[in-house]
Amino acid sequence: MKKYDYLIVGSGLFGSIFAHEATKRGKTCLVIERRSHLGGNIYCENRDGINIHRYGGHIFHTSDKAIWKYINQFAEFNNYINSPIANYKGELYNLPFNMNTFHQMWGVITPAQAAAKIDEQRKEARITEPKNLEEQAISLIGTDIYEKLIKGYTEKQWGRPCTELPAFIIKRLPVRYIYDNNYFNDRYQGIPIGGYNVIINNLLKGIEVLLNTDYLKERDTYQNIARRIIYTGPIDAFFDFQLGTLEYRGLRFEFEKHNVENYQGVAAVNYTDRETPYTRIIEHKHFEFGKQPVTWITKEYPATWHLGDEPYYPVNNKRNQELYQKYADYTKNESDVIFGGRLGEYKYYDMDKVVASALHLVEKEFE
Ligand code: FAD
Ligand code: UDP
């Protein structure tokens, strides 16, 4: 007789949602987490009354009404709208690329003038079928914006020239011929009031949790403790890297306290030149419209990733996709283990997609 119905490895959004839904259905769950805190990458650390997004600024956004309703059960969301600023060598531009940006870049006033300017630059570049990120960006938005707002940022972020990066990375960003600085196109957006820990604590209320417990280091103790395992750690680590290591882009966060009420006037400023070593500065209090007398900021430094570092962004190239597929084939022999979440599925998942994927698993598991 196994002690639990489910062992859940990892207390991020994926694991916590699964644990919550399974418990609700009368199943017994144990959640183990290798870090010293719950929540995975959405964890917040409160300092001076400010919720610091410990692993980078997180904004919840979705177009899916059911997902929005679901997540709102666990926290009340504020009306924060992400409107980052780009700083290129002291010149400031609104993001995403919209009429404000075009006006700041060229002095144009009407959408027709902006479109003509972009079209002129596109034609000069003579790109017919974009083959890489550079060509994709130029054909989307012209050379000026590419040179000032995309090239430096992207090369820092991914550690490679834009000519060697896939075009799809840049397709995440909206391009608009209206005056609208909302970074996302989604219908619903906000920050949970009180930070993301409110969501995780509500999801895991009454559920048994062990922190500082690494499943892979204590397999003997845990692998037979439950009927099934939900594993949300890196898929290659589960199989002892037998086929090789999946690559990630690393990140280093530098936290600073400043004795001013307002450091930069907005939650996110992107430094889009190549020379500034960090990609962005997050001022956390603005996510919740804080009025504290002091402030906390984080500088985000992209970094080369080495095995053992925290994995952040999956590197989506052919090699890694093929390798992932081979590991995914291995999982078919693990009938009692389910792999989920951004590390288990090696996917650049936003939070709403993680919620959807966890709920999909719940449906499958308990249908
Ligand atoms: P994780 O949060 O990574 O949770 C996995 C957990 O498993 C971790 O706590 C880990 O410690 C634990 N674990 C791993 N291995 C083991 C083991 N062997 N034993 C025990 N525990 C283990 N999404 C948005 O929607 N909006 C944003 O603005 C946004 N910003 C982001 C900014 C950055 C810098 C990054 C990196 C991501 C961002 N995301 C954003 C994505 C978001 O962080 C993820 O979608 C979400 O946190 C993934 O949840 P998860 O449960 O799949 O994974
Ligand atoms: N990007 C850019 N300039 C910016 C912001 C983003 O060139 O000021 C590019 C960059 O290549 C980045 C991609 O757009 O990797 C996606 O940006 P997003 O803000 O979605 O990245 P994330 O928040 O996921 O790091």
Side-chain angles (χ1 to χ4, degrees), residues 308-337:
D309 296 346
E310 276 304 336
Y312 287 104
Y313 297 99
V315 176
N316 254 310
N317 57 22
K318 200 160 162 272
R319 180 226 174 240
N320 289 307
Q321 275 319 314
E322 286 174 2
L323 185 55
Y324 167 71
Q325 207 40 61
K326 288 185 191 151
Y327 278 120
D329 289 342
Y330 268 29
T331 64
K332 291 177 190 144
N333 305 324
E334 300 283 339
S335 54
D336 295 333
V337 186

Side-chain angles (χ1 to χ4, degrees), residues 86 95 133 149-150 153-154 157-158 169-170 172-173 183 270 272 280 313 348:
L95 293 172
L133 195 150
L149 303 183
I150 296 175
Y153 186 99
T154 300
Q157 168 77 0
W158 297 101
I169 293 179
I170 204 71
R172 275 169 68 94
L173 300 185
Y183 199 63
N270 291 1
T272 57
R280 53 190 172 195
Y313 297 99
Y348 188 2

